[in-house]
Amino acid sequence: MKTLIYIALIAGIVSIESVLLPHVSLWQVKPDLGFVAVCLIGLFGGELEGLLVGLALGWAMSLFSAQDVLSAAIMKGCIGFIAGLAGRQVAYLTPPLLVVGLFTVSCLLGLMTPVILRLSAQQNVWWALWSVVLPQAALDALIGGAVYWLISRYLSLDQWVSEYRI
Amino acid sequence: MRMVNFRLSYNARRVAFALAVILVLSFLLLPTQLQTVFQAVGSPFGWIISWPLQAVAGIHDRIAGVWDHYVALQGVEEDNRQLRRELDLLKEQNGQLRESAAATERLATLLEFKQQALPTLIAAQVIGRDTGNWYKTIILNKGTSDGLQSDQGVVTPAGVVGRIVKTTSSTSVVLLLTDPNNAIAGLIQRTRDEGIVGGTTHGTAQLKYIPLLSDARPGDRVVTSGLVGGFPRGLSIGTITRIDKEDEALFQSAELVPEVDPNHVEEVLVILPTSFPTEGERLKAPKIKR
């Protein structure tokens, strides 16, 4: 059941990311829903779940992007794994703290991306920072915070985490 | 919100760490050729995901269609679209006629031309855009099952759109002309100087490696040179708006405005790879007059 939910989530995220989000982009930069989803899944589901869903989601997203399969899957998988580790160490998680955390991690990943993907010479770190990384991190953090606020408001997270976390 | 410290079962944690280590090692050590294996394995996965993708794209198109036709300017939008199509066709015809005239003038006295075959084209619809922010791509609703492959050229009647870089059985990813990672062989129509056309981070295109002695100037049209696969000779790429000539540089470069606005492309044509003659095939050996 959980696997089916994750497959549906992956299919939904890929569809929304490629069709609808270009219309709500900020300076032609759209939020990375996959990043937000993997972070939240890792945070609440644990390292293994974050890693596996991250791998699958990264792979699926790479099929509809020019990004190569390996780097996309590995980046998302590592994010899920790190989110799982972080979630285990955090005693109190509030929406503002999550927003700051998502913003920071998204910035770090965004700054590493031009190097990892071996983009063209024009797409250097400074260009990336101002044109892609900061707007995307801001959007990721806002969306992640909003989703977390909605989940925590309507679901009993402590109970859910204690029952389902691997 | 309180987060509880949970104990991860020993086996699950061990599996997670083992997977993480394998991932990092594979990222560092696996050869690039394995990309194709991963891509092939992912093709059925992509086929499954392409259904919801196309469904969302269909809903999006319907909503956009209703908005365009009934809410925004009603009939005017359709007239405008029709006129734009006609203008694109006329531009394309004009470009081809210019190219034909130039080629005829240069070669008529030397060669007997073989009739240039029109390339076979497959029509496809744009159903989405890149899932990330680092590449400028569009997603087409046709893939390997329709005969599409990597490196095939993608055009509209107005000109070049880009090149296919990835396919699944039912979808294809096209790297746009305006992406800085793209490279297409181009030719300045008036001066016959060749160069490489790539995108810029500003969303325009540039023609690089123009010879220093070239007298290219703003307003010159750039077309495909046909030297590299994917595109036949003479397809419109863009118009030069600025020439950049740096001191002590070995080449000039030029900024282009692409003929096709990639942000508003809805339908495209994909050029099949073996459907147009190469330069060698097109130019037969000259006949010796006796």
Side-chain angles (χ1 to χ4, degrees), chain B residues 126-226:
Chain B
V126 178
I127 57 169
R129 294 181 182 275
D130 200 290
T131 51
N133 289 311
W134 298 100
Y135 295 97
K136 292 187 177 78
T137 67
I138 52 175
I139 303 167
L140 306 183
N141 67 341
K142 292 195 175 164
T144 50
S145 58
D146 304 289
L148 271 56
Q149 295 168 6
S150 292
D151 288 334
Q152 289 175 345
V154 178
V155 299
T156 69
V160 174
V161 175
R163 181 195 299 273
I164 292 178
V165 290
K166 198 177 280 184
T167 52
T168 68
S169 59
S170 55
T171 59
S172 302
V173 178
V174 179
L175 190 66
L176 295 173
L177 176 73
T178 49
D179 189 289
N181 302 286
N182 213 341
I184 293 169
L187 174 77
I188 300 171
Q189 205 164 34
R190 184 179 59 83
T191 65
R192 318 307 297 175
D193 293 311
E194 291 174 350
I196 302 291
V197 179
T200 68
T201 53
H202 311 297
T204 56
Q206 61 176 342
L207 179 66
K208 295 178 283 189
Y209 310 118
I210 308 170
L212 273 182
L213 296 176
S214 169
D215 69 336
R217 56 179 181 248
D220 283 346
R221 283 163 57 86
V222 176
V223 296
T224 51
S225 74

Side-chain angles (χ1 to χ4, degrees), chain A residues 17-78:
Chain A
E17 187 83 32
S18 60
V19 179
L20 299 181
L21 285 192
H23 295 292
V24 295
S25 57
L26 188 69
W27 298 303
Q28 295 191 327
V29 174
K30 57 196 173 190
D32 187 350
L33 286 189
F35 168 80
V36 175
V38 168
C39 279
L40 293 177
I41 289 167
L43 213 54
F44 300 126
E47 295 96 324
L48 188 59
E49 208 155 309
L51 179 70
L52 294 177
V53 176
L55 281 174
L57 185 56
W59 191 1
M61 289 179 83
S62 78
L63 294 172
F64 301 97
S65 163
Q67 189 176 355
D68 65 281
V69 180
L70 276 179
S71 65
I74 288 169
M75 275 199 281
K76 286 280 189 299
C78 287

Side-chain angles (χ1 to χ4, degrees), chain B residues 30-41:
Chain B
L30 284 180
T32 314
Q33 287 83 349
L34 275 183
Q35 292 279 345
T36 51
V37 177
F38 277 92
Q39 186 66 33
V41 174

Side-chain angles (χ1 to χ4, degrees), chain B residues 21-189:
Chain B
V21 169
I22 289 168
L23 276 177
V24 173
L25 284 178
S26 63
F27 186 51
L28 295 173
L29 301 176
L30 284 180
T32 314
Q33 287 83 349
L34 275 183
Q35 292 279 345
T36 51
V37 177
F38 277 92
Q39 186 66 33
V41 174
S43 192
F45 196 39
W47 179 78
I48 293 168
I49 293 176
S50 72
W51 284 99
L53 178 65
Q54 296 200 23
V56 173
I59 294 166
H60 169 264
D61 286 349
R62 285 187 178 207
I63 293 169
V66 168
W67 180 270
D68 288 344
H69 289 93
Y70 298 105
V71 183
L73 300 176
Q74 297 195 356
V76 178
E77 199 274 338
E78 184 55 40
D79 291 344
N80 196 12
R81 186 178 294 191
Q82 184 65 32
L83 289 170
R84 280 178 190 276
R85 275 190 203 132
E86 285 177 13
L87 183 64
D88 286 347
L89 279 169
L90 290 172
K91 271 186 184 174
E92 174 62 15
Q93 282 176 356
N94 191 19
Q96 285 187 345
L97 288 171
R98 281 170 185 269
E99 190 59 24
S100 298
T104 306
E105 194 178 332
R106 280 185 297 112
L107 299 168
T109 54
L110 299 173
L111 299 170
E112 189 176 84
F113 262 106
K114 177 184 176 182
Q115 185 78 25
Q116 182 174 347
L118 286 172
T120 306
L121 305 168
I122 292 179
Q125 197 179 1
V126 178
I127 57 169
R129 294 181 182 275
D130 200 290
T131 51
N133 289 311
W134 298 100
Y135 295 97
K136 292 187 177 78
T137 67
I138 52 175
I139 303 167
L140 306 183
N141 67 341
K142 292 195 175 164
T144 50
S145 58
D146 304 289
L148 271 56
Q149 295 168 6
S150 292
D151 288 334
Q152 289 175 345
V154 178
V155 299
T156 69
V160 174
V161 175
R163 181 195 299 273
I164 292 178
V165 290
K166 198 177 280 184
T167 52
T168 68
S169 59
S170 55
T171 59
S172 302
V173 178
V174 179
L175 190 66
L176 295 173
L177 176 73
T178 49
D179 189 289
N181 302 286
N182 213 341
I184 293 169
L187 174 77
I188 300 171
Q189 205 164 34

Side-chain angles (χ1 to χ4, degrees), chain B residues 251-280:
Chain B
F251 297 98
Q252 304 179 69
S253 64
E255 190 177 279
L256 304 177
V257 172
E259 290 292 330
V260 180
D261 180 1
N263 294 320
H264 296 98
V265 176
E266 292 176 19
E267 291 97 18
V268 295
L269 299 166
V270 182
I271 304 168
L272 289 188
T274 56
S275 58
F276 55 89
T278 62
E279 194 75 354

